[in-house]
Amino acid sequence: MPEGHTIHRAAREHDKIFSGHCLSVTSPQGRFANGAARLDGQKCTGVEAIGKHLIYRFEDGSLLHIHLGLFGRIRKHKLPLRPARGAVRVRMVSAMDAIDISGPTICETLDEPGLLSLKQRIGPDVLRVDADPSRAYQKISKSRRAIGHLIMDQSVMAGIGNIYRTEILWRQRVHPLTRGRDLDGATLERIWLDARNLLEIGVKRNAIITVESEKRSKGRYRENTNIFGKAVCPSCDGAVSKLEISGRRVYLCGNCQVLAGAN
DNA sequence: AGAGTTGTTCAAGC
DNA sequence: AGCTTGAACAACTC
């Protein structure tokens, strides 16, 4: 489920509803919720997203570290609560609100040094105001690997997942197989800014929306993309082709996206 | 029912 | 060293 926007949206929402409140923290399915018992009954002091990682802080200094992986989900519930449905690993309940977390690949308590090492191995996060994109630009311009790989590599820059990768490169007319070192600084900056722009829209809308003029459909959240999962390029009407990069599918338009520096 | 998936890490081999 | 590949894991949808 999650690209970076999902996690940042959750962090903002959970910070609002949980900060300053005592939480009941339980682990209905036991497995995985390493250290959860120690958090039970404590006051939450803040929630933060770092790339696709979520950090909940508690008053005794404990940190709960969550990564949803490919299948993890967070569901918000109304009180009174019903018993957890499905494989819920952690449930957090305040006087007003509750969430269930299912399927995380990481669910553990962390100390400050652990958080520091997490922050150090993650690249600048496009959704964080304290991000330093030049760290990403430097890595990319030294690499001969495909830009389609690099922008989704969380140690290069954090937040982009498989759908945004396709959409950003199409919007910026960059061929996903272009080597990092063959892209100029201006292009890298366009990629960064577009990523931030799109993910921020994702946070607000709770959906991946990458098309320019979207009619605000009432009711349901709906994903709306240009070429991800599409057969025809909306810009030139040419056929969309498919590639695999970093083991995941990438869509591209061979007319619109230029392979720079091929030689 | 079985394949597919908005992710990541690790190990082994080149 | 850097890059690639494959496996493992997770929970749900169609």
Side-chain angles (χ1 to χ4, degrees):
Chain A
M1 205 73 201
E3 301 212 29
H5 70 291
T6 310
I7 306 305
H8 278 262
R9 182 182 170 91
R12 292 179 201 184
E13 181 182 16
H14 298 175
D15 189 63
K16 206 179 292 175
I17 65 180
F18 285 152
S19 276
H21 295 93
C22 284
L23 301 189
S24 149
V25 181
T26 54
S27 176
Q29 310 279 316
R31 191 159 66 112
F32 259 145
N34 164 24
R38 154 149 76 91
L39 309 174
D40 192 34
Q42 284 201 52
K43 192 178 284 183
C44 175
T45 59
V47 186
E48 176 184 16
I50 303 165
K52 299 174 184 173
H53 299 255
L54 254 181
I55 305 290
Y56 296 84
R57 295 176 178 279
F58 292 86
E59 59 184 335
D60 77 343
S62 297
L63 307 167
L64 177 63
H65 173 204
I66 303 287
H67 192 292
L68 259 27
L70 189 50
F71 307 124
R73 279 172 189 238
I74 298 174
R75 292 196 186 83
K76 198 173 159 207
H77 298 296
K78 292 198 165 100
L79 300 179
L81 273 181
R82 320 184 62 186
R85 271 278 199 237
V88 172
R89 307 304 188 193
V90 180
R91 163 172 276 186
M92 288 190 256
V93 186
S94 75
M96 305 289 293
D97 303 275
I99 60 164
D100 284 338
I101 299 176
S102 56
T105 52
I106 298 173
C107 181
E108 61 182 9
T109 51
L110 215 59
D111 53 11
E112 287 297 337
L115 179 61
L116 193 63
S117 74
L118 173 67
K119 283 179 170 169
Q120 280 166 349
R121 77 184 164 80
I122 300 218
D125 176 347
V126 296
L127 281 177
R128 284 180 67 108
V129 288
D130 60 5
D132 173 12
S134 66
R135 279 174 61 208
Y137 302 161
Q138 274 177 32
K139 279 191 184 164
I140 294 170
S141 33
K142 274 190 263 182
S143 175
R144 49 206 317 167
R145 301 198 70 171
I147 190 65
H149 170 266
L150 292 166
I151 62 168
M152 207 174 74
D153 180 339
Q154 305 299 302
S155 68
V156 172
M157 52 193 275
I160 295 174
N162 197 39
I163 296 180
Y164 280 124
R165 151 170 88 168
T166 278
E167 292 293 312
I168 291 163
L169 293 177
W170 178 83
R171 285 165 56 98
Q172 299 307 320
R173 298 180 156 258
V174 174
H175 194 293
L177 289 177
T178 311
R179 294 180 301 184
R181 53 143 74 144
D182 291 334
L183 290 162
D184 59 33
T187 307
L188 296 185
E189 189 171 11
R190 278 194 286 120
I191 290 173
W192 175 273
L193 293 175
D194 203 27
R196 186 174 72 185
N197 161 41
L198 290 181
L199 286 251
E200 195 57 58
I201 291 170
V203 171
K204 293 201 180 95
R205 303 282 301 274
N206 198 22
I208 298 176
I209 293 158
T210 58
V211 299
E212 279 306 332
S213 57
E214 226 241 344
K215 281 182 282 179
R216 184 105 204 191
S217 58
K218 287 181 200 134
R220 310 197 31 181
Y221 295 118
R222 285 207 50 205
E223 178 180 309
N224 199 342
T225 56
N226 296 291
I227 65 164
F228 188 90
K230 303 277 162 61
V232 176
C233 172
S235 175
C236 73
D237 289 331
V240 167
S241 45
K242 245 201 280 193
L243 283 179
E244 197 170 298
I245 301 178
S246 334
R248 317 285 304 281
R249 65 208 225 262
V250 180
Y251 296 82
L252 73 131
C253 172
N255 297 330
C256 297
Q257 292 168 267
V258 197
L259 186 57
N263 53 11

